[in-house]
Amino acid sequence: LVLLSATRASEPPELMIWPRYTILAALHDEAEILPQLVERLSRLDYPQDRLQGLLILEAHDGPTIAAARAVTRPDWLDILVVPPGRPQTKPRALNHALPHVTGELLTVYDAEDAPDPRQLREAAARFAADTTNRLACLQAPLRIRPSLSTTGTSPFLDRQFAAEYASLFETTLPGMARLGLPFPLGGTSNHFRVEVLRAIGGWDAWNVTEDADLGFRLWSRGWRLGVLTRPTWETPPGALDDWLPQRTRWLKGYMQTWGVHTRQPWRLGVR
C-alpha cells in the first residue's frame, strides 16, 4: 500500500461546463462553530450559480437554528430543519435532506471542516474523467490542523491522531483505491454521484459510522471508490474525555458494519 500510494494521479483538466453540486452539513448543538463553517464554505472556488448548500438542523436545537438564521450566508446556502423523530442521528438527518438535493454531485462536511477551496472542482473533474461510469464516490484526505486552544487539549493525543489520519488517508486509502478494493469512507468530505446514492437508499440511519457502511454497500452493488488529493483540514478531538467517546463510537460502528456485511459475505466478491 505504501508503494502504491507513492504515485498520485495528476488532476484532470478543468471542465467547460460544471455540474450542479450540493453541499450538506448536518449540525447538532454547534451554534458557536456554525459561523466559522459558513465562512469556510463561502471560500469554495466553484461557480456560485452551480452550488446548492443545506445546513441540516434538528428541530429541537434552537440555539443552532438561531445562529444559522443570524449569520450572513451566501445565496446558495439554505437552512433545512429536520422534524423530530428517531433515531436522532447524522445519517437520518442526511436522509431527510436527500429528496431536497438538486445537484448531480453531492458532498458532506462537518462543522469543524476547512475544505480546500478547489476540492469540488477536482471531484467534479475526476467524475467527468471516469470512462467506466462505475465511480460512485471520491474520498478527500482529512488532515489534522493542531488546535489553537491551549485549554482542554492533549498534545500527545493530537500528535497520535494526526499520525493516524496521515497513515489512513495519505497511504492506506490511496493504496486500496489503486488496487480497486472497497474501503470505509470517512465521515466527511466524501463526494457522491447523487443518482447512485439515491439508488442504494442513502445512508443507514441506525449505523453510527454510516460512512464506513456506505463504502462497502456501494462496493457490494458493483460501484467503485476513489480518492482525491485536495484535503479537508480538521482539528483533533482534544483531551481524553473528548477522544474516548468518539473512538468508542467509531469502534461500535465498525462492529455494526462488519456484522451487517458478513451476513452475506459473498456479496462483496472474491476481492
Side-chain angles (χ1 to χ4, degrees), residues 15 17 34 47 53 64 83 98 100 144 146 168-169 179 185 214 222 231 258:
L15 303 179
I17 300 177
L34 187 144
T64 306
L98 196 52
H100 301 272
I144 294 300
L168 176 63
F169 290 102
L179 288 171
L185 300 175
L214 194 52
W258 183 87

Side-chain angles (χ1 to χ4, degrees), residues 11-12 56 86 104 106-107 114 128 150 158 161 169 174 233-234 250 271:
E11 283 197 26
I56 312 167
R86 289 288 182 268
E104 301 168 54
L106 174 155
T107 189
T150 57
D158 288 358
F161 203 78
F169 290 102
W233 292 93
E234 293 189 338
W250 287 359
R271 303 190 72 178

Side-chain angles (χ1 to χ4, degrees), residues 140-163:
L142 305 183
R143 294 181 186 165
I144 294 300
R145 175 178 289 156
S147 174
L148 298 178
S149 172
T150 57
T151 60
T153 63
S154 169
F156 174 78
L157 276 181
D158 288 358
R159 289 194 296 270
Q160 301 308 304
F161 203 78

Side-chain angles (χ1 to χ4, degrees), residues 32-164:
E32 290 185 9
I33 201 172
L34 187 144
Q36 174 184 278
L37 173 66
V38 171
E39 192 272 333
R40 288 172 173 174
L41 294 181
S42 300
R43 297 180 198 166
L44 290 172
D45 180 10
Y46 200 83
Q48 302 287 290
D49 63 341
R50 308 299 291 163
L51 279 177
Q52 176 200 26
L54 296 174
L55 298 175
I56 312 167
L57 313 177
E58 299 289 342
H60 68 274
D61 189 5
T64 306
I65 293 175
R69 288 174 176 165
V71 72
T72 300
R73 292 174 278 113
D75 293 340
W76 51 265
L77 186 57
D78 295 319
I79 298 169
L80 180 66
V81 177
V82 182
R86 289 288 182 268
Q88 189 181 300
T89 59
K90 175 184 173 182
R92 174 181 176 265
L94 294 173
N95 283 334
H96 176 76
L98 196 52
H100 301 272
V101 167
T102 61
E104 301 168 54
L105 303 175
L106 174 155
T107 189
V108 178
Y109 290 128
D110 283 343
E112 72 277 9
D113 285 352
D116 183 293
R118 292 181 65 84
Q119 188 181 108
L120 269 60
R121 286 182 180 263
E122 182 190 358
R126 287 201 185 278
F127 277 121
D130 172 42
T131 57
T132 68
N133 290 321
R134 302 308 297 171
L135 181 62
C137 179
L138 290 163
Q139 174 68 60
L142 305 183
R143 294 181 186 165
I144 294 300
R145 175 178 289 156
S147 174
L148 298 178
S149 172
T150 57
T151 60
T153 63
S154 169
F156 174 78
L157 276 181
D158 288 358
R159 289 194 296 270
Q160 301 308 304
F161 203 78
E164 181 182 22

Side-chain angles (χ1 to χ4, degrees), residues 149-246:
S149 172
T150 57
T151 60
T153 63
S154 169
F156 174 78
L157 276 181
D158 288 358
R159 289 194 296 270
Q160 301 308 304
F161 203 78
E164 181 182 22
Y165 262 38
S167 67
L168 176 63
F169 290 102
E170 312 290 347
T171 301
T172 304
L173 298 192
M176 295 181 78
R178 289 180 71 87
L179 288 171
L181 294 172
F183 53 79
L185 300 175
T188 174
S189 306
N190 24 54
H191 299 251
F192 300 97
R193 293 187 191 271
V194 173
E195 62 179 357
V196 175
L197 194 56
R198 285 178 170 147
I200 67 168
W203 295 265
D204 181 354
W206 296 91
N207 192 318
V208 295
T209 54
E210 74 289 340
D211 36 32
D213 166 78
L214 194 52
F216 289 98
R217 192 144 45 89
L218 285 167
W219 173 266
S220 69
R221 306 288 180 88
W223 296 98
R224 199 164 54 83
L225 312 175
V227 294
L228 298 173
T229 61
R230 293 188 176 271
T232 292
W233 292 93
E234 293 189 338
T235 54
L240 182 65
D241 56 348
D242 293 317
W243 173 87
L244 187 59
Q246 181 190 66

Side-chain angles (χ1 to χ4, degrees), residues 2-14:
V2 172
L3 293 176
L4 287 171
S5 67
T7 303
R8 303 295 179 87
S10 59
E11 283 197 26
E14 294 266 305

